[in-house]
Amino acid sequence: MEFLFPLSLLLILIVLVNIFLKKQKPQPTTGNHPSDEQIQHLPPGSTGLPLIGETLDYFFKLKNGVLEKFVAERMKNYSSKVFRTSLIGQPTAILCGPEGNKFLFSNEKKLVQVWIPSYFDKIFPKVDNADSGVASSNTEQTKLIRKQLPAVLKLENLISYIGTMDTVMKQQLRTEWNREKIYVVPTVSKFTLTLACRFFLGIEDPEKVEEISKYVRDIDPGIMSIPIDFPGTNFNRAIKASKMMREKIQLIVRQTKIDLQEKRASVSKNLLMHMLSTADENGQFFSESYIASHVFALVEGGYGTVTSTLTFIMKYLSEFPHVYDEVLKEQMAIAKSKEQNEVLTWEDVRSMKYSWNVAREVLRLMPLTSGAYREAITDFTYAGFEGNGPPPFTFTPFGGGPRMCPGHEYARIVVLVFMHNVVTKFRWEKLLPKEKVVHNAIPTMDQGLPVRLHPHKQ
């Protein structure tokens, strides 16, 4: 397809690897600086200042949407394959390009394993499951919760949910898009959070969704901020909002549990119901606090990344009218095949091939994350790969290997349902042509992407 952008040639596909680089021999060191003997076995690079390393430069460029400059400068100075730095008090190696992606995704649980920075525990605290003796490690708990997701995110469940997604979007077009000007980010956020609350929590009450949204707005900016827990900082606000949101969700868990016991509710296909009715491998049920903690993290993750994707689809379609025209052509053909008030089906979604290619191109131009954290579990040598033609692992918006995002089909369906409804209803123009892209936990638009809507003539 022609939906290309010159800047895309400069975008660097990186995987950020927080590696506790294994010592060849135990040697006393000070601060973040390895011994001379260790340095001989490490990638080229600099660990920056004592204690803080290169953290300030990294977060400054991340916040301003130019993280590729942090990487490009060090690739030029040290190595185009891998370089060493120090971030948030941790010795870190950054593997660059598709070779880095391939190496890490291909060696999950062999040479590396998923790793979560310790400061994440402040926002997403680890919660022991007193009922089943679940390990307290946040990394271990992440593995356990991933085991629960396939049962909920399997394709047959998602297919049965397409009609609900379509209905929710049409309702929001009537209530949130019925004006000349909208701010895309908050408008799209309301749609994606409504879906996440329904799918993961079984919540349909708009007032409850709005209450949760207040907490979410404070959490996002703190996730990838400098982790200083001091009143007034983004990190501190995120910690407080996280606590309140988890408490709110725990009340929902408790009430849902009571409703199930008293047969006022039936087991449905959302994650909360699944976790309440499913025992772990030891035959024990999960505690309320444990369920609340993990459902909270999934609501947060499932809403934020999809919101970012939809925001940038709106941005790029306004900038490339010929691409918009092709999407409109495909979506209008589907719309004309439907009876009045007939909802979208799985066959409709499967036929949106060009639209999905556009969404994939948006994800290539604007990756959702700054990288993925991994920890070395053994010594290894990394020297890159060679090959002919377009290398694999150049496009990994949903990760790869064993760590492939379990919600990638959910995201795909939400994106396509959104595109169908918006494109068949409106054209739009950006009101701030030079609005900056900024990064909180994920990329977003600095002023919320205000646009003027132009409804199609019926």
Side-chain angles (χ1 to χ4, degrees):
M1 58 185 292
E2 298 178 5
F3 187 28
L4 297 173
F5 193 56
L7 181 59
S8 67
L9 299 176
L10 301 176
L11 290 177
I12 303 167
L13 295 169
I14 68 164
V15 174
L16 175 61
V17 192
N18 253 36
I19 297 180
F20 293 119
L21 295 163
K22 300 288 185 177
K23 301 182 176 78
Q24 299 296 321
K25 292 182 181 179
Q27 296 286 346
T29 60
T30 57
N32 294 322
H33 298 276
S35 67
D36 291 339
E37 183 177 350
Q38 288 174 303
I39 289 176
Q40 296 176 8
H41 301 284
L42 299 179
S46 170
T47 53
L49 299 172
L51 299 179
I52 64 172
E54 297 186 304
T55 302
L56 295 180
D57 189 30
Y58 175 85
F59 276 104
F60 177 79
K61 287 185 169 67
L62 174 66
K63 179 66 176 176
N64 286 280
V66 290
L67 183 61
E68 67 272 13
K69 289 185 178 180
F70 179 91
V71 177
E73 290 166 1
R74 287 153 182 81
M75 289 176 67
K76 180 179 178 181
N77 293 335
Y78 303 118
S79 168
S80 62
K81 299 288 187 182
V82 55
F83 60 84
R84 171 169 50 93
T85 183
S86 177
L87 301 174
I88 322 173
Q90 300 294 346
T92 303
I94 293 185
L95 276 63
C96 310
E99 296 93 343
N101 287 341
K102 181 176 181 179
F103 182 84
L104 291 168
F105 293 145
S106 301
N107 286 286
E108 183 74 30
K109 299 181 181 178
K110 301 174 186 175
L111 302 177
V112 297
Q113 64 183 8
V114 66
W115 181 82
I116 300 174
S118 59
Y119 72 87
F120 272 41
D121 290 349
K122 294 268 192 174
I123 301 175
F124 302 99
K126 50 197 176 191
V127 177
D128 288 336
N129 183 19
D131 297 336
S132 63
V134 171
S136 62
S137 162
N138 216 335
T139 298
E140 288 300 316
Q141 290 190 11
T142 299
K143 294 176 183 177
L144 288 168
I145 199 65
R146 282 178 68 91
K147 292 180 180 179
Q148 303 296 317
L149 294 178
V152 179
L153 293 171
K154 58 186 178 183
L155 189 57
E156 63 184 76
N157 285 354
L158 295 173
I159 289 174
S160 69
Y161 198 60
I162 292 173
T164 299
M165 294 179 180
D166 190 33
T167 299
V168 170
M169 186 62 210
K170 285 179 167 58
Q171 290 172 344
Q172 297 220 346
L173 285 176
R174 292 192 292 269
T175 59
E176 308 297 326
W177 298 69
N178 59 345
R179 59 209 72 180
E180 181 182 358
K181 170 185 170 183
I182 66 164
Y183 285 84
V184 170
V185 174
T187 305
V188 167
S189 295
K190 189 165 186 177
F191 169 62
T192 55
L193 186 59
T194 297
L195 292 185
C197 285
R198 281 201 181 196
F199 195 78
F200 293 113
L201 282 168
I203 294 177
E204 299 184 16
D205 185 346
E207 291 184 2
K208 290 183 178 179
V209 174
E210 177 58 29
E211 189 173 354
I212 289 175
S213 74
K214 295 175 184 177
Y215 306 136
V216 168
R217 285 196 289 267
D218 280 340
I219 292 172
D220 284 349
I223 292 176
M224 289 301 290
S225 65
I226 296 176
I228 299 176
D229 186 4
F230 189 80
T233 64
N234 285 342
F235 190 62
N236 178 262
R237 283 193 291 269
I239 292 171
K240 291 179 178 178
S242 166
K243 182 176 183 295
M244 290 186 288
M245 184 170 170
R246 282 182 284 110
E247 290 173 351
K248 181 67 177 177
I249 291 177
Q250 188 164 343
L251 292 175
I252 295 170
V253 172
R254 185 170 302 151
Q255 185 59 53
T256 303
K257 187 175 182 180
I258 292 171
D259 290 344
L260 279 173
Q261 291 171 343
E262 297 182 357
K263 302 188 183 306
R264 292 199 300 266
S266 58
V267 176
S268 60
K269 296 177 181 178
N270 64 67
L271 179 64
L272 172 55
M273 287 289 196
H274 175 75
M275 293 191 71
L276 282 171
S277 58
T278 304
D280 67 8
E281 56 192 19
N282 298 317
Q284 301 293 324
F285 289 93
F286 296 110
S287 68
E288 293 174 3
S289 60
Y290 184 82
I291 293 173
S293 176
H294 288 289
V295 172
F296 150 67
L298 290 168
V299 169
E300 168 64 28
Y303 133 85
T305 52
V306 180
T307 295
S308 179
T309 301
L310 299 185
T311 296
F312 285 99
I313 285 173
M314 294 282 290
K315 174 183 184 294
Y316 285 121
L317 285 182
S318 71
E319 295 174 356
F320 294 88
H322 65 290
V323 176
Y324 171 91
D325 288 341
E326 289 300 314
V327 174
L328 177 63
K329 180 181 176 181
E330 179 178 77
Q331 297 296 347
M332 286 303 295
I334 295 171
K336 289 176 181 178
S337 71
K338 313 295 288 184
E339 298 291 337
Q340 187 175 8
N341 299 323
E342 183 182 357
V343 297
L344 291 172
T345 66
W346 174 233
E347 291 304 316
D348 297 325
V349 171
R350 289 181 61 192
S351 68
M352 299 177 187
K353 291 181 170 53
Y354 185 85
S355 298
W356 182 236
N357 283 340
V358 170
R360 285 163 55 86
E361 179 70 356
V362 169
L363 289 168
R364 188 184 70 83
L365 294 174
M366 192 57 60
L368 294 177
T369 64
S370 58
Y373 294 100
R374 296 292 186 270
E375 176 186 12
I377 55 179
T378 185
D379 293 329
F380 61 82
T381 299
Y382 172 73
F385 296 85
E386 295 181 358
N388 297 319
F393 295 92
T394 56
F395 179 73
T396 56
F398 301 108
R403 298 297 303 179
M404 172 72 76
C405 173
H408 67 280
E409 281 292 350
Y410 170 84
R412 173 174 170 244
I413 293 172
V414 173
V415 165
L416 292 174
V417 168
F418 173 86
M419 290 178 73
H420 172 82
N421 279 280
V422 173
V423 169
T424 56
K425 187 81 172 177
F426 305 106
R427 286 186 182 269
W428 57 91
E429 59 178 312
K430 296 193 302 180
L431 296 179
L432 299 175
K434 297 183 179 180
E435 184 180 4
K436 291 196 311 179
V437 175
V438 295
H439 287 247
N440 292 323
I442 50 180
T444 188
M445 300 302 295
D446 188 43
Q447 301 298 319
L449 189 59
V451 299
R452 179 172 287 110
L453 299 174
H454 301 286
H456 295 308
K457 294 180 181 179
Q458 299 298 322

